[in-house]
Amino acid sequence: MDTLLLVSSTLLPIITIIIFHHFFTGKTAIPGSYGWPIIGESIDYFKKLRSGTNERFAMQRRKLFGDVFKTSILGEKMAFLCGPEGNKFLFSNENKLVEVWWPSSVESIIKKSNNKSVTAESAKVRQLLPPFLRAHAVKNYISDMDSELRQHLEDYWTGRDQVEVCPFVAKYTFALAVKLLLGVRDGTELEKLAKPFVDAAGGIIAVPINIPGTRFNRGVKASKRIREVINGIIAQRRKDLADGTADPSQNLLSHMIVEVDKRNQDTTNAPTTDGDMSSDLLGLLIGGYDTINTTVVFIMMMLVDYPDVYQEVLKEQTAIAKEKSTGELLTWDDLRKMKYSWNVACEVLRMRPPTVGAFRVAKTDFTYGGYTIPKGWKLHYLPHYTQRNHEFFPHPEKFDPTRFEGAGPAPYTFVPFGGGARMCPGNEYARAEILVFMYNIITRYNWQRLIPDEKVVIDPLPRPVHGLPIKLIPHKTQA
């Protein structure tokens, strides 16, 4: 009896404090698990990433811990704020409570001079982009996109009975990005950039183990080779700008050189080197290539699997083609008419998000959902969580472009391009290139899969394991 009284008298004050703290000061300890020492829960995270079920990582933990939970990925303490409310909070508090953060793998691939942080420098890069990637600027790229694609089809598709979609699409999207961003058309320069590009892109979200043979090690070596090529292009462009044979408004690289030189006159800040610019441009190439390439490939895959959707897209695109004279290139107004086609593209983006999401870091302690997120903690949002969730998209496994008719999905549930201040600056560019591709392919061809049950792998982004080989069926009349 004395023992029971002693235990009771010891525990009662502790229990009282816990109850008072819970009901009157709010919950502060974030539920969840850090997993194993050092590696945390990285193995499970990457396992689900590779299997294309990223959303399950969050769904399983949300079921156990609620809408806010802690974990440890890539050696970082990390919080997930689940659902559209979490997305809205992160997007609306950019540069207030949170700011962009990248894993060390990104810092190593997109390497800066003098140990500058890619995270800290990204805001400067974004300031240079609006003149070239906003809607008013993208309007001027439509004819270039269209003529480039027509030439690509003539060179690599016309006269063929069969093509492997993945490498052909990759070749076009990469060549167009290099042309519009860097102003490079020379085939030799393109080849120098293209060969190591896939390895560099793959290293971005690899486990940062830098030993020979690893994906990360290959990515680091490839990025170095690409930066050396871009450095040479920058040096030549400087000469062209100096002698008047290049125009600063022609492409992003020329614009960057002029603006960076102006900024470097301010000696209070560390100067931006040509090496820094080459890293910035590499990052932009990777970002644009991944989104567009992945989306276009899966549009072609889905249109085979859903012939009724293909027929609706064909009907819309044929109506546009009939209004144009032979050889007339597409315009911005033409793209605005492609409403159903864009709904199809959005449904592909919903089902197959082309990125793993994004990361943020807490700039200060803040409270969300009754929990305190400590300064320095990382936060991660997955577009997969809301976009493949039956709570927000009924029957999420069903391909249904009509979800995007009218008002479309609820706010902050469809977030393939992020949102708020960190909305992907290239979203209009991506939209234009995707629609130009759909118009040109669909007004020329129908197609059939040569491997009907071809599997999809995540390596590191989703792709058909055999590259989506198809049989081309040309229309009797072409646009």
Side-chain angles (χ1 to χ4, degrees):
M1 187 69 175
D2 291 341
T3 302
L4 180 61
L5 286 173
L6 178 62
V7 171
S8 298
S9 63
T10 303
L11 291 179
L12 187 59
I14 297 174
I15 294 171
T16 302
I17 291 171
I18 292 173
I19 292 173
F20 179 83
H21 187 271
H22 179 82
F23 286 102
F24 295 98
T25 66
K27 299 172 284 185
T28 58
I30 305 172
S33 170
Y34 292 132
W36 294 93
I38 302 176
I39 62 173
E41 296 190 303
S42 297
I43 292 177
D44 190 41
Y45 176 84
F46 280 100
K47 181 180 178 181
K48 288 183 170 61
L49 171 66
R50 300 296 182 201
S51 67
T53 57
N54 314 46
E55 69 279 4
R56 293 182 186 174
F57 182 88
M59 287 178 176
Q60 290 169 355
R61 287 156 180 78
R62 185 225 184 186
K63 189 174 182 180
L64 290 172
F65 306 118
D67 287 335
V68 184
F69 64 85
K70 67 183 178 184
T71 182
S72 176
I73 302 171
L74 298 170
E76 300 284 349
K77 291 182 178 179
M78 197 170 290
F80 277 67
L81 313 184
C82 295
E85 297 82 7
N87 292 341
K88 180 180 179 180
F89 182 88
L90 289 178
F91 298 154
S92 60
N93 282 286
E94 185 72 35
N95 298 323
K96 300 172 187 175
L97 300 178
V98 300
E99 61 185 358
V100 67
W101 174 82
W102 297 109
S104 60
S105 57
V106 177
E107 297 276 352
S108 298
I109 299 294
I110 306 174
K111 196 173 182 63
K112 295 285 189 169
S113 65
N114 301 318
N115 296 318
K116 293 175 188 170
S117 167
V118 172
T119 299
E121 292 287 301
S122 64
K124 296 180 181 178
V125 179
R126 291 177 69 88
Q127 292 172 4
L128 299 172
L129 298 181
F132 288 88
L133 296 180
R134 293 289 186 247
H136 70 275
V138 172
K139 291 179 183 180
N140 300 321
Y141 302 157
I142 306 303
S143 59
D144 275 345
M145 290 179 176
D146 194 12
S147 61
E148 191 80 14
L149 180 54
R150 293 184 188 202
Q151 187 60 54
H152 172 83
L153 293 174
E154 183 66 29
D155 292 342
Y156 300 105
W157 294 58
T158 301
R160 293 174 178 260
D161 295 326
Q162 300 177 7
V163 296
E164 191 176 324
V165 172
C166 286
F168 280 127
V169 170
K171 190 177 187 71
Y172 162 69
T173 55
F174 182 74
L176 182 63
V178 170
K179 174 184 174 183
L180 294 180
L181 296 181
L182 305 185
V184 172
R185 300 169 182 265
D186 179 72
T188 303
E189 293 287 359
L190 273 173
E191 192 66 20
K192 289 179 183 177
L193 290 166
K195 280 188 175 180
F197 185 77
V198 174
D199 281 339
I204 284 283
I205 55 173
V207 177
I209 300 175
N210 196 8
I211 58 176
T214 63
R215 181 189 297 273
F216 179 68
N217 179 261
R218 292 195 300 272
V220 170
K221 291 179 178 178
S223 70
K224 182 179 179 181
R225 293 198 299 274
I226 293 172
R227 291 197 305 272
E228 288 172 351
V229 175
I230 297 178
N231 281 338
I233 295 170
I234 292 173
Q236 182 58 51
R237 188 64 49 79
R238 281 188 181 281
K239 294 178 182 177
D240 295 341
L241 287 166
D243 62 25
T245 57
D247 184 342
S249 64
Q250 280 183 324
N251 49 67
L252 180 60
L253 173 56
S254 297
H255 174 73
M256 283 183 73
I257 291 172
V258 172
E259 292 301 315
V260 165
D261 286 350
K262 289 179 184 177
R263 183 190 297 160
N264 284 345
Q265 293 175 10
D266 180 1
T267 57
T268 59
N269 297 316
T272 299
T273 67
D274 287 358
D276 293 334
M277 279 195 285
S278 68
S279 291
D280 295 334
L281 290 161
L282 172 58
L284 292 171
L285 286 171
I286 290 173
Y289 169 89
D290 286 343
T291 300
I292 298 167
N293 187 45
T294 302
T295 304
V296 165
V297 166
F298 283 100
I299 286 172
M300 295 197 68
M301 179 178 278
M302 289 299 190
L303 289 178
V304 170
D305 296 341
Y306 295 87
D308 55 328
V309 175
Y310 172 88
Q311 288 301 325
E312 284 298 311
V313 175
L314 177 62
K315 180 181 176 182
E316 180 177 78
Q317 299 291 3
T318 300
I320 294 169
K322 285 181 177 178
E323 295 178 359
K324 307 191 76 65
S325 59
T326 302
E328 183 183 353
L329 296 173
L330 288 169
T331 66
W332 181 257
D333 287 340
D334 293 326
L335 268 57
R336 293 176 63 188
K337 298 174 186 176
M338 301 179 187
K339 291 180 169 46
Y340 184 77
S341 298
W342 184 240
N343 289 347
V344 171
C346 286
E347 181 67 344
V348 170
L349 285 163
R350 182 192 70 81
M351 296 185 72
R352 295 283 184 186
T355 72
V356 296
F359 298 91
R360 301 289 184 267
V361 60
K363 296 179 66 176
T364 183
D365 292 356
F366 65 84
T367 300
Y368 177 83
Y371 300 104
T372 297
I373 310 296
K375 177 181 179 180
W377 269 43
K378 310 307 184 291
L379 301 104
H380 185 21
Y381 90 87
L382 288 170
H384 309 66
Y385 177 79
T386 52
Q387 293 179 192
R388 295 180 178 176
N389 193 321
H390 68 87
E391 295 179 37
F392 314 114
F393 292 92
H395 307 291
E397 72 288 344
K398 181 182 178 183
F399 183 72
D400 182 10
T402 63
R403 301 178 196 272
F404 293 88
E405 293 179 354
Y412 300 101
T413 58
F414 178 65
V415 288
F417 299 112
R422 292 294 304 186
M423 171 73 77
C424 174
N427 63 318
E428 288 291 347
Y429 172 89
R431 176 178 176 272
E433 189 171 347
I434 289 166
L435 289 175
V436 168
F437 195 96
M438 291 179 73
Y439 171 85
N440 277 281
I441 293 297
I442 290 166
T443 56
R444 285 167 170 77
Y445 301 107
N446 201 338
W447 55 92
Q448 298 173 348
R449 285 211 221 186
L450 293 177
I451 305 176
D453 299 319
E454 185 175 5
K455 293 182 179 180
V456 172
V457 295
I458 315 297
D459 187 33
L461 297 170
R463 65 173 178 83
V465 67
H466 297 294
L468 190 59
I470 60 172
K471 178 184 178 181
L472 291 172
I473 307 171
H475 297 315
K476 291 181 180 180
T477 58
Q478 296 184 7

